[in-house]
Amino acid sequence: MPPRNRVGEVAALRLERLVKTSVNGAPQWHLQPEANRTLVTLSGDWIAQQGHLPDFPESGFRDVPHGEPVEFSTDQLGKWDTSLISFLWELKRTAREDNVQLRIDTLPESARKLLDLLPEIPPTPAPPPPHKFQPVTAVGQFTLDTLNEVGCVSEMGAAAAKGGFAAVVGRGMMRTVDLMSDLSAAGPAALLIVGVVNFLVGAILAFVGSVELHKFAADIYVASLVAIAMVREMSAVMTAIIMAGRTGGAYAARISTMQANEEIDALQVFGIPVSSYLILPSVLALAFTMPLLYLYGCLIGMLGGFFVSYIMLDVSPLGYFHETLHALPLDQFTFGFIKSLVFGTFIGLTSCRIGLKAGRSAADVGIAATKAVVVGIVGVIALDAVFAVIANVIGI
């Protein structure tokens, strides 16, 4: 047997392991040595969604005689997508490493154009930057980012206030239907959850207070405890936390969805100010409804305290009502009313700001909503601490 035939026979026997057989039009490739060339036969449908696709091994060209070109046969090739291009790119890189001459002129023209767009050598990924422990730099960057966000929120609030004054004189871009929709979502639709939470908070305060005050035969002062705690702190804070999780997250999700759908860009192209068209109705809705929800929460919380006191303690309804009125001066309601107004404005501005700075993917919508809830709750508690200091200074 001539040496050439012996080499071809041995190569054929070795390359039988590389044959990818399939049925029902599944993708397959076959490497076969011929006279003065090696032929790669492609057949079947190379569709990534149809299942597992064959790979080209690193040792695929090991038995190809040196100097012989490798060509393609695509007569049996069916449908294909980028999975075929990925296979050809892998084959092309293997041929380059083994110094094998690869001819792609027999491939479909569209496949050749796509293959030519890929680099000969895959780019080496850049090593991750070394992590250095720099606490001063981290604190400084956090401070700068915080100040920048405070400035952006303040500027956005000023623009919304300017749009509000323009709307009063009939020159604003705010639509009444948007304001009424936001008022309905932030007000009547939130009565149930605000009422339930404040009722339970008032009941818990009465229960805890009754356990201790009963030891000193001071059961009647449970009414004072519940009234002062609800009016001064708990009703405003709990209502604000509820609205941060319920309405603030909804604002951030809505605006971030508009950002992803390029609706914000469309408004800017048409010259419609976002601060007046989107932010102003949201902020006004929370600023109007939060004080009313605060008063509603105070009433429901006192009712929860009375419910527990009436069951556990020997307190008459008239005595509980009289002690509640005696323990609540008017300035306590004024202070809580102002706090709830500030809380509502803060939640509206920060939620809209987070929605505007969100990314444009579907995942960013959820991230923006979660961040708005977290920032709203933490911000409300921080502002409440500031109000506590102010109340102590002015003697309320």
Side-chain angles (χ1 to χ4, degrees):
M1 180 180 296
R4 171 62 185 175
N5 294 339
R6 185 181 298 110
V7 172
E9 182 180 0
V10 173
L13 291 175
R14 292 180 178 178
L15 294 177
E16 283 182 356
R17 303 173 183 176
L18 304 178
V19 176
K20 303 296 182 180
T21 59
S22 61
V23 294
N24 298 327
Q28 61 179 349
W29 62 271
H30 179 67
L31 192 65
Q32 180 179 2
E34 295 185 354
N36 299 324
R37 69 172 184 175
T38 300
L39 190 64
V40 179
T41 303
L42 302 175
S43 60
D45 296 332
W46 293 70
I47 305 298
Q49 296 181 351
Q50 292 184 357
H52 178 70
L53 298 173
D55 299 326
F56 191 81
E58 297 181 358
S59 60
F61 293 122
R62 180 177 302 173
D63 297 319
V64 175
H66 181 71
E68 285 191 0
V70 175
E71 300 178 1
F72 291 93
S73 174
T74 58
D75 296 337
Q76 303 177 8
L77 182 63
K79 299 178 182 179
W80 58 272
D81 56 11
T82 53
S83 60
L84 176 63
I85 306 302
S86 177
F87 172 80
L88 293 176
W89 188 38
E90 184 180 0
L91 187 146
K92 184 178 179 180
R93 289 187 284 117
T94 304
R96 185 180 183 277
E97 294 174 357
D98 294 341
N99 296 321
V100 174
Q101 181 183 0
L102 190 65
R103 295 179 180 177
I104 63 173
D105 52 346
T106 57
L107 291 174
E109 183 180 359
S110 54
R112 294 200 308 268
K113 291 181 178 180
L114 292 174
L115 191 60
D116 290 337
L117 295 176
L118 298 174
E120 293 289 340
I121 302 176
T124 303
H131 178 72
K132 297 181 180 180
F133 181 69
Q134 297 176 337
V136 177
T137 303
V139 172
Q141 187 63 42
F142 175 78
T143 304
L144 292 176
D145 294 340
T146 303
L147 292 177
N148 180 62
E149 288 300 319
V150 171
C152 291
V153 172
S154 301
E155 183 180 0
M156 190 170 62
K162 183 179 178 181
F165 287 117
V168 171
V169 298
R171 298 180 180 179
M173 300 295 294
M174 181 184 66
R175 299 194 308 171
T176 305
V177 63
D178 293 335
L179 178 61
M180 298 305 297
S181 176
D182 289 338
L183 283 173
S184 176
L191 288 176
L192 179 60
I193 185 172
V194 171
V196 170
V197 171
N198 281 282
F199 182 87
L200 294 177
V201 170
I204 292 171
L205 289 174
F207 179 79
V208 174
S210 63
V211 172
E212 296 299 324
L213 293 176
H214 184 70
K215 299 177 182 179
F216 304 96
D219 299 345
I220 191 62
Y221 291 107
V222 173
S224 302
L225 171 66
V226 174
I228 294 176
M230 293 300 300
V231 172
R232 188 181 179 92
E233 291 292 340
M234 298 307 299
S235 179
V237 174
M238 295 306 299
T239 303
I241 290 176
I242 294 170
M243 300 307 290
R246 181 186 178 277
T247 307
Y251 287 168
R254 181 181 66 186
I255 295 179
S256 60
T257 302
M258 297 178 66
Q259 184 80 2
N261 295 335
E262 299 183 353
E263 297 178 42
I264 304 295
D265 299 335
L267 292 176
Q268 295 174 349
V269 168
F270 282 105
I272 300 176
V274 178
S275 58
S276 299
Y277 190 78
L278 291 178
I279 300 175
L280 182 59
S282 303
V283 175
L284 286 180
L286 280 176
F288 287 159
T289 57
M290 275 292 295
L292 301 178
L293 290 174
Y294 157 74
L295 296 177
Y296 169 74
C298 291
L299 177 62
I300 297 299
M302 295 176 194
L303 182 62
F306 166 73
F307 181 78
V308 173
S309 300
Y310 185 76
I311 293 177
M312 296 184 59
L313 305 174
D314 188 15
V315 177
S316 65
L318 185 61
Y320 189 93
F321 178 73
H322 180 269
E323 184 63 25
T324 299
L325 293 180
H326 179 71
L328 286 178
L330 184 61
D331 57 354
Q332 298 293 336
F333 282 100
T334 304
F335 190 66
F337 195 88
I338 294 174
K339 282 204 305 184
S340 61
L341 179 63
V342 174
F343 289 163
T345 305
F346 170 79
I347 293 171
L349 288 175
T350 55
S351 300
C352 293
R353 168 60 182 171
I354 292 172
L356 287 174
K357 63 180 293 189
R360 296 181 181 270
S361 66
D364 292 326
V365 176
I367 294 174
T370 303
K371 189 174 182 180
V373 174
V374 173
V375 172
I377 293 176
V378 175
V380 164
I381 296 175
L383 286 176
D384 185 66
V386 174
F387 275 107
V389 175
I390 295 174
N392 184 59
V393 171
I394 63 180
I396 297 180

